[in-house]
Amino acid sequence: MTKETLLMQYQSECLSALKSVANIQKPFEKTFMDTMKLFMAIPDRINFLQLGRYGCFSEQTYRNLFEHETFDWFAFNGSIISKHLTGKRKAIAIDPSYIPKSGKKTPWIGYFWSGCAGEYKRGLEIMGIGVIDIDNHECMTLGSIQTPDCKTLDNMDKNLVDWYSSYLISRKDKIQSISRTVVADAFFSKETFITPMCENDFHVISRFRNDVILYYPTLEQKTGKRGHPKWFDGRIDFANLDLTRCKEYEVNKGKLYGLRVYAKALKRYVSLAIWYPMDGRTDKWQLYFSTDDSMDGREVLDYYRTRFQLEF
């Protein structure tokens, strides 16, 4: 397939998705389609100056396009996603990313965590929101949102975790039309994120730290006597796991066990998947969980590992 054919196919899909978004005027459509073409064609840094240099319209016209706040990017991207992600099992993956940026006038510039540098650095942050296809091991971006800086969050009377959950909840009608399952890294395994998400009909799949406090559910039967039976049968020691309570799954390069447990930090029961490395390796176990405590342990691992497609 030639480059010209691929470009025509790309433009055709963009135009089809654009027409699925209501209330699009012809001038906006022309400028938008020209911008989509330029994003594929410009070899260097893409900004408004470059768009005006290579495109059919002036720099100010492109600036006005991206100030069109009523445009529904979620609907536009969702239309494309529905045609290409064909698997039955889908989930929403989220991943905040640090962007280097200097200067003092950029809105919401501040200090954010850089995973590559392993430290907080001055710049910007966006939270990427993608749709992952578990069956086909693919991901496409649904949208992104810039993270406010600390001063702005203080004025909102929120911390960073509160803001992440509140934004997802504010877009839940769009998001839940695709999936009610949100997959996130270990940073989001906090009660302040999990509880509001679950209260708004989301399920969260994430990862625990290795020293997390988890308990086996009690096997004690009700006796009919006064008082509540004990809640738990003891804290889980992952170095000496009780295999009689677990279901084992076949996986490559290790062992996987699944069971239902009570998470003290989250104040709820979760479905836990415990992965142990192969013999001879020095790294410890890895703990993945889903707030849907009926989920199969193998599924929990599949959902979490597919999350990495968003980063790629």
Side-chain angles (χ1 to χ4, degrees):
M1 189 177 290
T2 64
K3 293 181 179 180
E4 290 76 11
T5 305
L6 286 171
L7 183 60
M8 289 178 62
Q9 181 181 344
Y10 165 74
Q11 288 182 296
S12 175
E13 293 198 10
C14 287
L15 182 59
S16 175
L18 182 63
K19 290 185 178 296
S20 70
V21 182
N23 301 323
I24 298 299
Q25 298 178 349
K26 201 67 178 178
F28 181 89
E29 179 184 314
K30 290 181 178 180
T31 312
F32 184 91
M33 289 304 300
D34 191 59
T35 304
M36 293 296 101
K37 179 182 67 177
L38 292 172
F39 264 86
M40 297 295 290
I42 295 177
D44 302 316
R45 177 181 294 181
I46 300 174
N47 52 33
F48 293 121
L49 182 63
Q50 291 284 74
L51 293 175
R53 178 178 298 162
Y54 290 99
C56 300
F57 304 96
S58 67
E59 177 187 345
Q60 188 60 48
T61 301
Y62 294 109
R63 289 184 181 274
N64 293 339
L65 170 71
F66 282 91
E67 291 175 355
H68 199 286
E69 297 180 358
T70 60
F71 183 73
D72 193 343
W73 288 98
F74 270 57
F76 174 79
N77 291 329
S79 177
I80 298 175
I81 288 170
S82 64
K83 296 178 181 178
H84 292 275
L85 298 187
T86 57
K88 293 183 178 180
R89 296 182 300 166
K90 295 187 180 70
I92 304 298
I94 60 173
D95 184 43
S97 298
Y98 165 78
I99 301 175
K101 179 69 177 178
S102 58
K104 299 180 179 180
K105 301 298 183 181
T106 304
W108 292 358
I109 192 168
Y111 284 87
F112 298 96
W113 177 257
S114 170
C116 294
E119 61 181 356
Y120 284 92
K121 299 186 70 174
R122 183 171 173 80
L124 303 175
E125 182 185 86
I126 60 168
M127 181 172 69
I129 304 171
V131 180
I132 53 176
D133 183 337
I134 314 302
D135 298 320
N136 297 313
H137 208 67
E138 295 178 346
C139 176
M140 295 181 70
T141 299
L142 181 63
S144 61
I145 181 71
Q146 185 181 348
T147 305
D149 62 330
C150 292
K151 183 178 180 180
T152 305
L153 288 172
D154 289 341
N155 293 335
M156 294 178 181
D157 197 24
K158 291 181 179 180
N159 59 34
L160 197 56
V161 175
D162 294 335
W163 184 84
Y164 288 140
S165 60
S166 63
Y167 178 76
L168 293 172
I169 291 168
S170 71
R171 304 305 301 268
K172 73 174 186 177
D173 291 340
K174 296 286 185 182
I175 293 173
Q176 291 181 352
S177 66
I178 300 171
S179 175
R180 293 179 181 270
T181 302
V182 174
V183 188
D185 63 19
F187 173 81
F188 294 91
S189 60
K190 298 176 173 62
E191 190 271 335
T192 52
F193 179 82
I194 300 291
T195 297
M197 293 293 286
C198 291
E199 288 175 347
N200 283 273
D201 300 323
F202 284 101
H203 280 301
V204 179
I205 295 176
S206 186
R207 180 179 169 184
F208 284 129
R209 287 173 38 168
N210 284 355
D211 60 353
V212 66
I213 299 176
L214 303 174
Y215 294 95
Y216 292 111
T218 183
L219 299 178
E220 185 178 292
Q221 301 295 322
K222 292 183 179 180
T223 61
K225 297 181 180 179
R226 294 180 63 185
H228 197 285
K230 68 177 183 177
W231 292 93
F232 320 113
D233 278 349
R235 181 176 175 177
I236 301 176
D237 179 4
F238 293 104
N240 299 283
L241 188 65
D242 185 353
L243 300 182
T244 63
R245 294 174 176 262
C246 307
K247 182 178 179 180
E248 185 174 357
Y249 304 91
E250 291 186 6
V251 293
N252 295 327
K253 300 181 180 180
K255 294 182 179 180
L256 180 67
Y257 300 96
L259 71 160
R260 181 172 177 266
V261 302
Y262 182 82
K264 180 180 178 180
L266 302 183
K267 303 175 184 177
R268 65 177 61 245
Y269 283 95
V270 297
S271 176
L272 182 70
I274 313 164
W275 180 82
Y276 289 93
M278 296 174 63
D279 294 338
R281 288 178 53 170
T282 57
D283 51 337
K284 289 189 174 182
W285 51 83
Q286 295 177 2
L287 308 175
Y288 308 96
F289 73 92
S290 170
T291 56
D292 179 1
D293 60 356
S294 64
M295 181 174 278
D296 183 89
R298 180 59 179 268
E299 271 200 308
V300 175
L301 183 65
D302 287 344
Y303 273 76
Y304 188 86
R305 287 186 170 176
T306 309
R307 179 192 73 83
F308 292 104
Q309 293 300 314
L310 177 62
E311 298 184 8
F312 298 148

